[in-house]
Amino acid sequence: MIDFTTGAPVSGDLDVRWIHGSPSARRNTDPPIQVHAYDEHTFVLRQNKAVNYEAPFLYLLFGNDRAILFDTGATPEPERFPLRATIDQLVADWLAAHPRERYELVVAHTHGHGDHVQGDGQFADRPDTTVVGVPPEAVAEFFGITDWPAQVVSFDLGGRVLELTGIPGHQAASIAVFDPWTGFLLTGDSVLHGRLYVFDFPVFLDSLRRLVAFAAARPVTWLMGCHVEMRSKPGRDYSIGTTYQPHEAPLQMAPDRLPAVLAAAESVADRPGARMFGDFAIYHGRCPGAVRLQVARTMGNRALNGLRATARR
């Protein structure tokens, strides 16, 4: 039995250059999924931006009795996005090092938006596998949350006991997950180096306030979101639909950025619109004008990249 308590949180490896797409998807030779081992029991995966511009990050955590995969990406087709095959290989490799007679897999989600659930169908017929439903009711039922969203519950992977709570506002079924083994606080799309799209602002503020208190009571090492949309230079982002991000910010955020996100959200609570706050932006409401500007930026960048590619030929 692996001891997931002594020495936690462990120090793992986040010194990684993530696959960030290509100026020309047709010439992209990177794999459709990048797999990075934080440690031998924790894996962070990223979908290639050349496959889907959303390029979500996924998290695979191993315990003594079961593993859990958070999110399944933005592309359903296994030939374009071989998530099931990738996870099966990681599980097989882990079991080769840590043999078990039976081992379960849980497929869950940080929230229910389409770019985080498209690969669910790849696991439909996998033995010893549970795919958690997407609606808030299904999430609450599976994890045993009887007072959604405020209740904090535990989910035991077998000695590796996660803590979960609801954080709706970005999406109705959003959750936060604390992993004591790594110190990671998984925040989905609610807190990340990118655009925080808020569709129910009072609920989002309540979630952030509870999340700040939740994190303050635990030894959080990093906030781990599901996208990177900011550039390494503060105050600058990559526009919606970008498929090439050579100078993007890191995935992980320092825990002290969480109160900063709350303070920023409180400062714009009564002012819908899109606003930048250095290493993240808040989109209060649907912000159609800001979204159209983002798309226009992307189209202009793609046209410029095409001209550059033509000139090189």
Side-chain angles (χ1 to χ4, degrees):
M1 297 291 287
I2 300 163
D3 180 1
F4 284 106
T5 57
T6 302
V10 298
S11 178
D13 177 19
L14 282 176
D15 184 15
V16 54
R17 182 162 176 78
W18 296 105
I19 290 177
H20 51 264
S22 169
S24 173
R26 290 173 295 182
R27 293 198 298 272
N28 187 274
T29 59
D30 291 323
I33 307 173
Q34 181 178 4
V35 177
H36 176 70
Y38 178 76
D39 67 80
E40 64 174 317
H41 312 298
T42 309
F43 293 84
V44 185
L45 298 82
R46 190 189 198 179
Q47 183 168 359
N48 191 337
K49 288 189 75 70
V51 177
N52 187 289
Y53 76 88
E54 294 281 8
F57 289 85
L58 293 63
Y59 297 89
L60 179 65
L61 314 180
F62 286 90
N64 282 301
D65 301 329
R66 60 189 59 86
I68 189 166
L69 172 66
F70 285 103
D71 293 345
T72 62
T75 303
E77 302 91 353
E79 60 273 15
R80 296 185 60 231
F81 184 58
L83 180 61
R84 162 74 181 274
T86 301
I87 297 301
D88 282 352
Q89 187 62 60
L90 288 170
V91 171
D93 291 345
W94 191 87
L95 288 175
H98 310 283
R100 303 286 193 275
E101 289 186 7
R102 182 180 177 186
Y103 198 71
E104 302 174 4
L105 175 68
V106 174
V107 178
H109 313 92
T110 60
H111 63 294
H113 281 155
D115 55 318
H116 299 264
V117 305
Q118 290 300 311
D120 284 12
Q122 296 187 34
F123 297 89
D125 61 349
R126 189 183 188 277
D128 297 318
T129 299
T130 301
V131 180
V132 181
V134 172
E137 299 79 10
V139 175
E141 179 180 3
F142 179 81
F143 288 112
I145 302 175
T146 57
D147 181 17
W148 175 267
Q151 185 180 8
V152 177
V153 298
S154 298
F155 187 72
D156 191 356
L157 301 179
R160 187 175 186 173
V161 183
L162 310 179
E163 292 185 276
L164 302 90
T165 191
I167 53 167
H170 170 73
Q171 198 270 337
S174 293
I175 60 172
V177 182
F178 175 66
D179 171 32
W181 173 247
T182 59
F184 287 177
L185 179 58
L186 308 186
T187 53
D189 284 6
S190 296
V191 179
L192 47 73
H193 279 138
R195 294 177 289 276
L196 312 184
Y197 295 102
V198 184
F199 302 112
D200 190 328
F201 218 86
V203 169
F204 185 69
L205 278 177
D206 175 70
S207 294
L208 282 180
R209 288 165 181 153
R210 288 187 293 102
L211 189 59
V212 167
F214 178 89
R218 290 159 178 83
V220 176
T221 55
W222 296 107
L223 309 176
M224 304 293 283
C226 286
H227 300 279
V228 175
E229 296 163 340
M230 299 302 299
R231 297 173 186 259
S232 55
K233 183 177 181 178
R236 298 190 63 188
D237 64 344
Y238 285 100
S239 53
I240 295 172
T242 299
T243 57
Y244 181 49
Q245 300 186 170
H247 305 293
E248 63 184 14
L251 166 63
Q252 65 272 19
M253 294 181 78
D256 62 7
R257 297 306 293 151
L258 189 53
V261 173
L262 172 58
E266 289 176 332
S267 74
V268 299
D270 59 351
R271 295 185 294 150
R275 292 175 178 83
M276 180 67 68
F277 292 93
D279 57 348
F280 63 90
I282 294 179
Y283 276 50
H284 183 342
R286 299 202 173 268
C287 308
V291 171
R292 285 195 295 270
L293 178 60
Q294 290 277 345
V295 173
R297 285 175 57 199
T298 298
M299 298 303 292
N301 289 335
R302 288 180 180 176
L304 181 59
N305 286 336
L307 290 173
R308 288 171 175 167
T310 300
R312 284 194 295 268
R313 289 197 298 267

